[in-house]
Amino acid sequence: MSSIPKIVILGAGYGGVLTSLRLQKELNYNEADVTLVNKHDYHYITTHLHMPAAGTDNPENARVNISKLIDEFKIDFVKSTVVQIRPQDRKVILEDGTLSYDYLIIGLGGEPETFGIPGLAENAMNIRSINSVRLIREHIEYQFARFKREPHRTDYLTFIVGGAGFTGIEFLGELADRIPELCKQFDVDPALVKIINIEAAPTALPGFDPELVEYAVQVLQKKGVTFRIGTAVKECTPDGVVVGEGEEIKSQTVIWTGGVRGNRLIEEAGIETMRGRVKVDEFLRAPGHENIYILGDNSLVFNEEGGRPYPPTAQIAMQQGVNCAHNLVASIRNQPLKSFVFHNKGAVASLGKGEAIGVAFGKKYKGRTAALLKKAIDLRYLFIIGGIPLVLRKGKFL
Ligand code: FAD
Ligand code: NAD
């Protein structure tokens, strides 16, 4: 190892940003060289992306310039795309250069899981980034414009959401709020518009509190969403989806929210993965790689009983970022590492304007109270990463 250790953090998502912020606070001058690499020069607030995707908010409100978050005197920021990770050489290959490291933190976020379903990767859209939600928003508006020119094509007005996990449910709430606005703007009869959710499991939000799930489904049905529960998407074509036993639903808009997997760069690097995610050790390191930490959607952390992995969330990614920074500082100072323990504070899902469901600190919430709770969680996040100035700049939009 060189005299000053080199720490390279890949991805400025929830895990990468929290690691960077903690390192810049805890490391002394000249204790380490820290570099943060991200595809864009902004961090995006993924937990807000269902809104700009549906067009109920502007994508600008979900992004924060990285220069506003990190202290560039303490952390080098490199705007670039990682194309390869080479653990054997301790190098990361970027689209426009190479970085060497002593410690590597991988927080590149997940990728949509398509389960090999034919046509999904080619024909469906995903809610993953600012660019992906811009595309969805524009695409939805374009379908209304197309319909005005070809009024026999009602499939232009059929919107399909594949998967009723948290992402699908939050997006449905926003889309259902946006449709009446678009109908007015384009002079379209709202009765012609269909929003269809297709969920393979026997319930929406599988595994979540059944009473709250029922409430969510009722709220969304009232707003015009049709649920096809217990029905799997089998294929996606340029003309719609094939579901169940071969039924075809015609649509020009399929939003796939069927789950996430780990980033392919990790398995391509020869790091052991399970369905694309790395089963990390107690200190969040990749097995067999003591200098590589894996955070967020790319990591698999099992609950204390060792039974089930925690779902990939911003909440766990943030806590991992804090733990990872602590362990990096400890490694550099030859101090003992701290095991990662997840403190689950619950989950809140919005259902459109003023409506939400959630479980927090062991209590159930629904309706306006849950929506306020969601807002409080979003504000807290802004405060953690950017303090009062960021809360004042962005808080009113969340
Ligand atoms: P991400 O936040 O995904 O960040 C990854 C970063 O890496 C990005 O900045 C990306 O641009 C960058 N990157 C990717 N590839 C490359 C590359 N090759 N080179 C350089 N940079 C790259 N979780 C919750 O806990 N609460 C919620 O309310 C919640 N709401 C959500 C709502 C929606 C609509 C969605 C989609 C997810 C939601 N989640 C929520 C889940 C949460 O957003 C993710 O679990 C979280 O973003 C994962 O964080 P991460 O640090 O692993 O990566
Ligand atoms: P998910 O894996 O939680 O849900 C995907 C859903 O798609 C599941 O219900 C699954 O049964 C369904 N599905 C899978 N294959 C299907 C098929 N062929 N046909 C029809 N349905 C199919 O994925 P997500 O909703 O994108 O969430 C990803 C992670 O992000 C989760 O951990 C979630 O908790 C988290 N998240 C949290 C929030 C929040 O806390 N508000 C919001 C969004 C996402």
Side-chain angles (χ1 to χ4, degrees):
M1 196 180 287
S2 57
S3 52
I4 299 183
K6 286 188 191 138
I7 300 176
V8 172
I9 303 166
L10 305 182
Y14 289 79
V17 163
L18 262 288
T19 307
S20 305
L21 291 176
R22 281 299 174 122
L23 283 180
Q24 77 183 21
K25 197 168 152 203
E26 288 178 23
L27 279 175
N28 295 322
Y29 177 69
N30 256 355
E31 237 181 337
D33 271 347
V34 185
T35 304
L36 171 65
V37 183
N38 197 58
K39 224 184 237 186
H40 314 105
D41 55 7
Y42 56 84
H43 160 75
Y44 43 77
I45 304 170
T46 314
T47 60
H48 190 67
L49 288 181
H50 50 290
M51 294 181 68
T56 51
D57 193 15
N58 189 322
E60 284 302 308
N61 296 333
R63 61 188 234 174
V64 183
N65 285 346
I66 288 170
S67 61
K68 297 253 186 247
L69 298 179
I70 64 159
D71 179 347
E72 290 188 68
F73 286 109
K74 294 185 175 165
I75 293 183
D76 286 327
F77 173 63
V78 175
K79 176 179 175 286
S80 188
T81 298
V82 179
V83 292
Q84 197 188 18
I85 299 166
R86 286 197 195 153
Q88 64 283 12
D89 307 326
R90 298 194 167 201
K91 282 192 184 350
V92 173
I93 313 301
L94 308 178
E95 60 184 352
D96 49 5
T98 302
L99 289 172
S100 54
Y101 62 82
D102 296 306
Y103 297 99
L104 184 68
I105 293 80
I106 305 180
L108 291 169
E111 294 178 4
E113 174 61 278
T114 59
F115 303 104
I117 297 169
L120 260 187
E122 299 80 9
N123 301 309
M125 292 175 283
N126 308 102
I127 304 173
R128 287 307 306 163
S129 61
I130 295 287
N131 290 334
S132 73
V133 302
R134 280 192 186 122
L135 182 71
I136 295 172
R137 173 197 168 119
E138 297 286 326
H139 177 93
I140 292 170
E141 288 182 15
Y142 180 50
Q143 301 318 303
F144 277 80
R146 287 173 95 188
F147 173 76
K148 293 307 284 186
R149 287 176 59 108
E150 300 170 76
H152 61 288
R153 293 289 303 268
T154 47
D155 58 322
Y156 290 156
L157 300 180
T158 297
F159 300 95
I160 293 180
V161 178
F166 276 90
T167 306
I169 289 292
E170 290 199 316
F171 176 67
L172 285 164
E174 298 303 319
L175 183 61
D177 282 354
R178 181 85 204 287
I179 292 298
E181 204 183 285
L182 287 169
C183 287
K184 235 188 228 165
Q185 192 182 331
F186 287 88
D187 302 309
V188 165
D189 177 0
L192 295 174
V193 180
K194 288 189 194 138
I195 305 175
I196 304 172
N197 175 257
I198 299 160
E199 166 58 54
T203 168
L205 294 173
F208 202 57
D209 181 273
E211 185 199 328
L212 294 177
V213 174
E214 199 186 321
Y215 178 83
V217 167
Q218 278 173 9
V219 167
L220 295 174
Q221 278 173 334
K222 262 193 219 141
K223 290 191 191 201
V225 176
T226 302
F227 284 93
R228 299 281 308 268
I229 300 293
T231 306
V233 172
K234 294 279 174 64
E235 191 182 346
C236 185
T237 70
D239 299 319
V241 288
V242 178
V243 302
E245 300 307 312
E247 179 193 349
E248 197 184 344
I249 306 176
K250 290 214 174 290
S251 165
Q252 293 291 305
T253 311
V254 180
I255 315 295
W256 178 245
T257 63
V260 287
R261 70 178 316 281
N263 194 299
R264 274 166 220 278
L265 290 174
I266 299 179
E267 57 209 51
E268 285 165 15
I271 296 172
E272 195 184 321
T273 61
M274 286 168 75
R275 299 193 60 87
R277 298 168 69 201
V278 181
K279 186 178 175 197
V280 289
D281 70 11
E282 60 177 313
F283 305 119
L284 302 175
R285 300 176 305 188
H289 301 270
E290 289 204 341
N291 61 338
I292 301 183
Y293 290 79
I294 314 273
L295 307 180
D297 286 3
N298 287 304
S299 69
L300 266 185
V301 177
F302 285 79
N303 63 18
E304 268 157 29
E305 297 78 46
R308 292 172 64 84
Y310 291 114
T313 60
Q315 188 186 167
I316 195 167
M318 290 168 68
Q319 293 181 25
Q320 289 177 324
V322 173
N323 187 271
C324 172
H326 175 95
N327 283 343
L328 288 166
V329 175
S331 291
I332 290 167
R333 295 180 187 161
N334 285 321
Q335 292 167 350
L337 304 188
K338 195 162 92 185
S339 301
F340 175 73
V341 180
F342 177 48
H343 300 286
N344 190 352
K345 300 193 172 106
V348 185
S350 69
L351 305 171
K353 201 170 169 47
E355 275 287 0
I357 49 165
V359 175
F361 305 106
K363 274 186 79 179
K364 294 186 205 181
Y365 298 89
K366 59 186 176 200
R368 191 154 287 278
T369 324
L372 285 171
L373 188 61
K374 174 97 184 141
K375 177 129 184 129
I377 295 167
D378 290 345
L379 291 175
R380 178 177 172 267
Y381 179 63
L382 291 181
F383 180 74
I384 289 171
I385 62 167
I388 297 281
L390 190 61
V391 174
L392 293 177
R393 237 169 352 103
K394 295 273 175 194
K396 58 181 176 291
F397 301 114
L398 297 183

mmCIF file of all heavy atoms in Angstrom, residues 22 26 281-284 293 319 322-324 326-328 330-331 335-341 343:
data_model
loop_
_atom_site.group_PDB
_atom_site.id
_atom_site.type_symbol
_atom_site.label_atom_id
_atom_site.label_comp_id
_atom_site.label_asym_id
_atom_site.label_seq_id
_atom_site.Cartn_x
_atom_site.Cartn_y
_atom_site.Cartn_z
ATOM 1 N N ARG A 22 -19.222 11.171 5.470
ATOM 2 C CA ARG A 22 -18.620 10.752 6.733
ATOM 3 C C ARG A 22 -17.099 10.786 6.659
ATOM 4 O O ARG A 22 -16.432 11.185 7.614
ATOM 5 C CB ARG A 22 -19.072 9.325 7.092
ATOM 6 C CG ARG A 22 -20.453 9.299 7.675
ATOM 7 C CD ARG A 22 -20.476 10.132 8.960
ATOM 8 N NE ARG A 22 -21.795 10.261 9.476
ATOM 9 C CZ ARG A 22 -22.172 9.864 10.698
ATOM 10 N NH1 ARG A 22 -21.303 9.326 11.526
ATOM 11 N NH2 ARG A 22 -23.409 10.042 11.090
ATOM 12 N N GLU A 26 -14.519 12.717 9.087
ATOM 13 C CA GLU A 26 -13.725 11.978 10.081
ATOM 14 C C GLU A 26 -12.237 11.872 9.768
ATOM 15 O O GLU A 26 -11.423 11.732 10.670
ATOM 16 C CB GLU A 26 -14.309 10.571 10.256
ATOM 17 C CG GLU A 26 -15.641 10.626 11.006
ATOM 18 C CD GLU A 26 -16.303 9.282 11.190
ATOM 19 O OE1 GLU A 26 -15.606 8.252 11.147
ATOM 20 O OE2 GLU A 26 -17.536 9.267 11.369
ATOM 21 N N ASP A 281 -19.621 -9.623 4.092
ATOM 22 C CA ASP A 281 -19.315 -10.105 5.443
ATOM 23 C C ASP A 281 -19.865 -9.110 6.467
ATOM 24 O O ASP A 281 -20.476 -8.093 6.098
ATOM 25 C CB ASP A 281 -17.809 -10.387 5.604
ATOM 26 C CG ASP A 281 -16.946 -9.128 5.622
ATOM 27 O OD1 ASP A 281 -17.497 -8.006 5.716
ATOM 28 O OD2 ASP A 281 -15.710 -9.252 5.560
ATOM 29 N N GLU A 282 -19.645 -9.361 7.732
ATOM 30 C CA GLU A 282 -20.254 -8.512 8.769
ATOM 31 C C GLU A 282 -19.794 -7.052 8.703
ATOM 32 O O GLU A 282 -20.447 -6.159 9.230
ATOM 33 C CB GLU A 282 -19.974 -9.091 10.161
ATOM 34 C CG GLU A 282 -18.491 -9.174 10.459
ATOM 35 C CD GLU A 282 -18.187 -9.689 11.874
ATOM 36 O OE1 GLU A 282 -18.794 -9.211 12.842
ATOM 37 O OE2 GLU A 282 -17.320 -10.566 11.975
ATOM 38 N N PHE A 283 -18.642 -6.831 8.011
ATOM 39 C CA PHE A 283 -18.124 -5.455 7.903
ATOM 40 C C PHE A 283 -18.478 -4.823 6.544
ATOM 41 O O PHE A 283 -17.962 -3.773 6.200
ATOM 42 C CB PHE A 283 -16.604 -5.449 8.090
ATOM 43 C CG PHE A 283 -16.176 -6.110 9.380
ATOM 44 C CD1 PHE A 283 -15.351 -7.232 9.364
ATOM 45 C CD2 PHE A 283 -16.613 -5.627 10.605
ATOM 46 C CE1 PHE A 283 -14.965 -7.849 10.548
ATOM 47 C CE2 PHE A 283 -16.228 -6.243 11.796
ATOM 48 C CZ PHE A 283 -15.412 -7.355 11.774
ATOM 49 N N LEU A 284 -19.306 -5.513 5.751
ATOM 50 C CA LEU A 284 -19.788 -5.057 4.436
ATOM 51 C C LEU A 284 -18.756 -5.264 3.325
ATOM 52 O O LEU A 284 -18.806 -4.609 2.284
ATOM 53 C CB LEU A 284 -20.220 -3.570 4.474
ATOM 54 C CG LEU A 284 -21.306 -3.209 5.485
ATOM 55 C CD1 LEU A 284 -21.548 -1.703 5.510
ATOM 56 C CD2 LEU A 284 -22.613 -3.937 5.143
ATOM 57 N N TYR A 293 -15.549 -2.892 -0.299
ATOM 58 C CA TYR A 293 -16.819 -2.774 0.430
ATOM 59 C C TYR A 293 -17.944 -2.637 -0.598
ATOM 60 O O TYR A 293 -17.783 -1.941 -1.607
ATOM 61 C CB TYR A 293 -16.816 -1.534 1.336
ATOM 62 C CG TYR A 293 -15.890 -1.666 2.522
ATOM 63 C CD1 TYR A 293 -14.511 -1.478 2.393
ATOM 64 C CD2 TYR A 293 -16.390 -1.983 3.779
ATOM 65 C CE1 TYR A 293 -13.659 -1.603 3.478
ATOM 66 C CE2 TYR A 293 -15.548 -2.112 4.873
ATOM 67 C CZ TYR A 293 -14.189 -1.924 4.723
ATOM 68 O OH TYR A 293 -13.351 -2.051 5.800
ATOM 69 N N GLN A 319 -27.300 3.711 6.031
ATOM 70 C CA GLN A 319 -26.678 3.191 7.255
ATOM 71 C C GLN A 319 -25.378 2.457 6.928
ATOM 72 O O GLN A 319 -24.398 2.515 7.674
ATOM 73 C CB GLN A 319 -27.652 2.259 7.991
ATOM 74 C CG GLN A 319 -28.871 2.979 8.543
ATOM 75 C CD GLN A 319 -29.817 2.035 9.301
ATOM 76 O OE1 GLN A 319 -29.427 1.000 9.809
ATOM 77 N NE2 GLN A 319 -31.084 2.410 9.358
ATOM 78 N N VAL A 322 -22.489 4.949 6.433
ATOM 79 C CA VAL A 322 -21.924 5.433 7.701
ATOM 80 C C VAL A 322 -20.979 4.374 8.283
ATOM 81 O O VAL A 322 -19.855 4.666 8.704
ATOM 82 C CB VAL A 322 -23.069 5.753 8.701
ATOM 83 C CG1 VAL A 322 -22.522 6.082 10.077
ATOM 84 C CG2 VAL A 322 -23.920 6.910 8.171
ATOM 85 N N ASN A 323 -21.457 3.108 8.266
ATOM 86 C CA ASN A 323 -20.638 2.020 8.817
ATOM 87 C C ASN A 323 -19.350 1.828 8.002
ATOM 88 O O ASN A 323 -18.264 1.626 8.564
ATOM 89 C CB ASN A 323 -21.468 0.732 8.815
ATOM 90 C CG ASN A 323 -20.773 -0.419 9.508
ATOM 91 O OD1 ASN A 323 -20.036 -1.170 8.884
ATOM 92 N ND2 ASN A 323 -20.975 -0.550 10.799
ATOM 93 N N CYS A 324 -19.491 1.933 6.691
ATOM 94 C CA CYS A 324 -18.337 1.720 5.805
ATOM 95 C C CYS A 324 -17.277 2.800 6.059
ATOM 96 O O CYS A 324 -16.087 2.490 6.178
ATOM 97 C CB CYS A 324 -18.836 1.754 4.357
ATOM 98 S SG CYS A 324 -17.541 1.729 3.142
ATOM 99 N N HIS A 326 -16.804 4.444 8.756
ATOM 100 C CA HIS A 326 -16.191 4.153 10.063
ATOM 101 C C HIS A 326 -15.108 3.084 9.894
ATOM 102 O O HIS A 326 -13.995 3.217 10.413
ATOM 103 C CB HIS A 326 -17.268 3.672 11.051
ATOM 104 C CG HIS A 326 -16.708 3.237 12.354
ATOM 105 N ND1 HIS A 326 -16.630 4.072 13.445
ATOM 106 C CD2 HIS A 326 -16.122 2.060 12.745
ATOM 107 C CE1 HIS A 326 -16.035 3.438 14.442
ATOM 108 N NE2 HIS A 326 -15.742 2.214 14.038
ATOM 109 N N ASN A 327 -15.422 2.030 9.152
ATOM 110 C CA ASN A 327 -14.468 0.928 9.003
ATOM 111 C C ASN A 327 -13.257 1.309 8.167
ATOM 112 O O ASN A 327 -12.155 0.801 8.389
ATOM 113 C CB ASN A 327 -15.169 -0.305 8.435
ATOM 114 C CG ASN A 327 -15.999 -1.007 9.505
ATOM 115 O OD1 ASN A 327 -15.800 -0.768 10.704
ATOM 116 N ND2 ASN A 327 -16.941 -1.835 9.101
ATOM 117 N N LEU A 328 -13.456 2.209 7.202
ATOM 118 C CA LEU A 328 -12.308 2.664 6.402
ATOM 119 C C LEU A 328 -11.332 3.437 7.298
ATOM 120 O O LEU A 328 -10.119 3.203 7.265
ATOM 121 C CB LEU A 328 -12.784 3.559 5.247
ATOM 122 C CG LEU A 328 -13.497 2.829 4.114
ATOM 123 C CD1 LEU A 328 -14.226 3.822 3.203
ATOM 124 C CD2 LEU A 328 -12.512 1.998 3.290
ATOM 125 N N ALA A 330 -11.093 3.203 10.495
ATOM 126 C CA ALA A 330 -10.515 2.250 11.455
ATOM 127 C C ALA A 330 -9.387 1.451 10.801
ATOM 128 O O ALA A 330 -8.326 1.254 11.405
ATOM 129 C CB ALA A 330 -11.608 1.325 11.975
ATOM 130 N N SER A 331 -9.586 1.009 9.556
ATOM 131 C CA SER A 331 -8.542 0.233 8.856
ATOM 132 C C SER A 331 -7.269 1.050 8.728
ATOM 133 O O SER A 331 -6.172 0.555 8.975
ATOM 134 C CB SER A 331 -8.994 -0.131 7.440
ATOM 135 O OG SER A 331 -10.009 -1.041 7.462
ATOM 136 N N GLN A 335 -7.296 0.218 13.717
ATOM 137 C CA GLN A 335 -8.228 0.012 14.838
ATOM 138 C C GLN A 335 -9.217 -1.095 14.465
ATOM 139 O O GLN A 335 -9.371 -1.414 13.285
ATOM 140 C CB GLN A 335 -8.986 1.322 15.131
ATOM 141 C CG GLN A 335 -8.082 2.404 15.691
ATOM 142 C CD GLN A 335 -8.748 3.789 15.677
ATOM 143 O OE1 GLN A 335 -9.806 3.976 15.096
ATOM 144 N NE2 GLN A 335 -8.076 4.751 16.290
ATOM 145 N N PRO A 336 -9.917 -1.665 15.446
ATOM 146 C CA PRO A 336 -10.846 -2.756 15.098
ATOM 147 C C PRO A 336 -12.043 -2.267 14.274
ATOM 148 O O PRO A 336 -12.502 -1.130 14.462
ATOM 149 C CB PRO A 336 -11.316 -3.278 16.466
ATOM 150 C CG PRO A 336 -10.859 -2.296 17.480
ATOM 151 C CD PRO A 336 -9.817 -1.417 16.882
ATOM 152 N N LEU A 337 -12.536 -3.122 13.384
ATOM 153 C CA LEU A 337 -13.694 -2.773 12.550
ATOM 154 C C LEU A 337 -14.987 -3.015 13.326
ATOM 155 O O LEU A 337 -15.021 -3.799 14.273
ATOM 156 C CB LEU A 337 -13.711 -3.627 11.284
ATOM 157 C CG LEU A 337 -12.462 -3.601 10.398
ATOM 158 C CD1 LEU A 337 -12.727 -4.344 9.092
ATOM 159 C CD2 LEU A 337 -12.020 -2.174 10.099
ATOM 160 N N LYS A 338 -16.050 -2.327 12.874
ATOM 161 C CA LYS A 338 -17.342 -2.461 13.545
ATOM 162 C C LYS A 338 -18.300 -3.251 12.641
ATOM 163 O O LYS A 338 -18.420 -2.933 11.449
ATOM 164 C CB LYS A 338 -17.892 -1.040 13.788
ATOM 165 C CG LYS A 338 -19.029 -0.978 14.765
ATOM 166 C CD LYS A 338 -19.223 0.440 15.292
ATOM 167 C CE LYS A 338 -20.219 1.219 14.483
ATOM 168 N NZ LYS A 338 -20.361 2.603 14.865
ATOM 169 N N SER A 339 -18.998 -4.227 13.222
ATOM 170 C CA SER A 339 -19.964 -4.998 12.421
ATOM 171 C C SER A 339 -21.131 -4.097 12.031
ATOM 172 O O SER A 339 -21.526 -3.225 12.807
ATOM 173 C CB SER A 339 -20.534 -6.165 13.232
ATOM 174 O OG SER A 339 -19.507 -7.001 13.638
ATOM 175 N N PHE A 340 -21.712 -4.372 10.865
ATOM 176 C CA PHE A 340 -22.889 -3.605 10.439
ATOM 177 C C PHE A 340 -24.151 -4.220 11.031
ATOM 178 O O PHE A 340 -24.372 -5.426 10.920
ATOM 179 C CB PHE A 340 -23.000 -3.590 8.908
ATOM 180 C CG PHE A 340 -24.258 -2.926 8.425
ATOM 181 C CD1 PHE A 340 -24.400 -1.547 8.510
ATOM 182 C CD2 PHE A 340 -25.320 -3.675 7.916
ATOM 183 C CE1 PHE A 340 -25.579 -0.928 8.101
ATOM 184 C CE2 PHE A 340 -26.491 -3.059 7.489
ATOM 185 C CZ PHE A 340 -26.612 -1.679 7.585
ATOM 186 N N VAL A 341 -24.957 -3.381 11.672
ATOM 187 C CA VAL A 341 -26.258 -3.845 12.180
ATOM 188 C C VAL A 341 -27.314 -2.899 11.613
ATOM 189 O O VAL A 341 -27.212 -1.677 11.783
ATOM 190 C CB VAL A 341 -26.308 -3.806 13.726
ATOM 191 C CG1 VAL A 341 -27.670 -4.283 14.232
ATOM 192 C CG2 VAL A 341 -25.190 -4.644 14.332
ATOM 193 N N HIS A 343 -30.717 -0.994 11.467
ATOM 194 C CA HIS A 343 -31.811 -0.557 12.335
ATOM 195 C C HIS A 343 -32.979 -0.183 11.437
ATOM 196 O O HIS A 343 -32.984 0.899 10.837
ATOM 197 C CB HIS A 343 -31.379 0.642 13.188
ATOM 198 C CG HIS A 343 -30.217 0.304 14.069
ATOM 199 N ND1 HIS A 343 -30.352 -0.476 15.197
ATOM 200 C CD2 HIS A 343 -28.898 0.589 13.965
ATOM 201 C CE1 HIS A 343 -29.167 -0.650 15.754
ATOM 202 N NE2 HIS A 343 -28.256 -0.014 15.033
#
